[in-house]
């Protein structure tokens, strides 16, 4: 005889975090979802990287300020192409941010591919305008070893350009992972890329002010 006090067996309910994780693993490329948070190691690693880059540029800034006090320093007129460079970097930051916001709503690569392409094009245009500025200085007889001011110009802008290229490589890896079907990693990775792009813009504006007002 069955025990009258016994409760009917109920099927186990999935844990909430498991349910959310399964909800994001959808085959629908246009499915809306709540993006998962960034894993602490990736976010912390990016913060550490940006701190190291900041310290490096601050050290070069200190060396720049000390060097310009010596008598052989000749002020450098920055090429007008720097205005184009600034505009291109600002536009790449805007499109990157919009791409991240788009991936928050739609996790598929197809939904963000246009903004990603625009981000890459604006970033490549920034690098091209930097090379154009260098060529303009060289044509004016201001090479790397012409005077200390021009040497620092090539050094500071070149280092920044290398970090921009590094960001493009990271973005390419993100796109490749999403292309392989790991669309659930697209939004967290684009969030990190957006943070890095904004950081690069801040560093560029700092360098632009340093070069223009000293």
């Amino acid at each position: 005889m069955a025990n009258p006090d016994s409760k009917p067996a109920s099927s186990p309910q999935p844990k909430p975090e498991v349910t959310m994780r399964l909800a994001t693993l959808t085959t629908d490329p246009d499915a809306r979802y709540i993006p998962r948070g960034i894993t602490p190691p990736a976010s912390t690693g990016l913060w550490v990287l940006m701190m190291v880059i900041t310290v490096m540029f601050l050290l070069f800034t200190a060396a720049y300020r000390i060097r310009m006090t010596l008598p052989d320093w000749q002020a450098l007129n920055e090429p007008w192409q720097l205005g184009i460079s600034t505009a291109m970097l600002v536009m790449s930051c805007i499109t990157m941010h919009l791409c991240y916001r788009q991936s928050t709503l739609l996790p598929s690569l197809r939904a963000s591919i246009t903004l990603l392409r625009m981000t890459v094009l604006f970033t490549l245009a920034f690098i091209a305008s930097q090379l154009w500025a260098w060529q303009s200085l060289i044509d004016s007889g201001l090479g790397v070893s012409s005077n200390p001011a021009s040497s620092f110009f090539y050094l500071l802008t070149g280092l920044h350009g290398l970090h921009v290229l590094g960001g493009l490589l990271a973005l390419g890896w993100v796109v490749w992972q999403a292309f392989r079907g790991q669309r659930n990693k697209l939004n967290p990775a684009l969030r990190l890329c957006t943070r890095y792009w904004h950081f690069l813009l801040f560093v560029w504006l700092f360098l632009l002010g340093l070069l223009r007002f000293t």
Side-chain angles (χ1 to χ4, degrees):
M1 174 179 284
N3 188 354
D5 296 331
S6 62
K7 297 181 180 179
S10 59
S11 58
Q13 297 296 325
K15 297 181 179 179
E17 58 270 17
V18 175
T19 304
M20 180 175 292
R21 183 168 64 251
L22 293 177
T24 64
L25 300 176
T26 174
T27 58
D28 182 3
D30 294 326
R32 296 179 180 272
Y33 79 123
I34 301 175
R36 293 180 296 175
I38 299 176
T39 56
S43 182
T44 303
L46 180 59
W47 282 116
V48 172
L49 175 62
M50 292 190 300
M51 288 177 60
V52 171
I53 296 173
T54 300
V55 171
M56 181 188 66
F57 275 106
L58 287 177
L59 291 175
F60 278 116
T61 300
Y64 178 91
R65 297 289 297 181
I66 294 173
R67 188 64 181 85
M68 66 180 296
T69 59
L70 299 181
D72 61 341
W73 183 271
Q74 299 178 12
L76 180 68
N77 292 324
E78 291 76 22
W80 61 269
Q81 288 87 350
L82 294 185
I84 299 178
S85 300
T86 304
M88 292 299 100
L89 191 56
V90 169
M91 292 303 300
S92 68
C93 286
I94 293 175
T95 53
M96 175 63 78
H97 184 78
L98 293 176
C99 184
Y100 160 63
R101 293 290 299 273
Q102 179 70 21
S103 68
T104 302
L105 299 175
L106 298 172
S108 70
L109 179 62
R110 184 179 67 188
S112 305
I113 193 64
T114 300
L115 288 169
L116 281 172
R117 288 172 177 170
M118 293 175 65
T119 300
V120 173
L121 287 176
F122 282 128
T123 307
L124 291 176
F126 167 79
I127 297 174
S129 61
Q130 285 295 96
L131 296 177
W132 187 10
W134 285 8
Q135 187 62 47
S136 177
L137 288 178
I138 294 174
D139 293 341
S140 301
L142 297 173
V144 177
S145 58
S146 298
N147 62 73
S150 62
S151 299
F152 268 99
F153 177 85
Y154 288 107
L155 174 64
L156 295 176
T157 57
L159 281 175
H160 184 269
L162 287 177
H163 288 93
V164 172
L165 286 176
L168 277 180
L169 291 177
L171 183 61
W173 180 85
V174 170
V175 173
W176 173 247
Q177 292 295 317
F179 180 77
R180 293 176 58 192
Q182 302 182 31
R183 63 176 63 92
N184 290 308
K185 296 182 178 180
L186 181 63
N187 177 264
L190 285 181
R191 181 179 175 186
L192 294 177
C193 289
T194 302
R195 183 190 302 172
Y196 184 67
W197 248 253
H198 291 339
F199 169 74
L200 290 177
L201 176 60
F202 173 78
V203 173
W204 173 252
L205 294 177
F206 172 78
L207 294 177
L208 193 66
L210 177 68
L211 295 170
R212 181 151 298 180
F213 298 108
T214 54

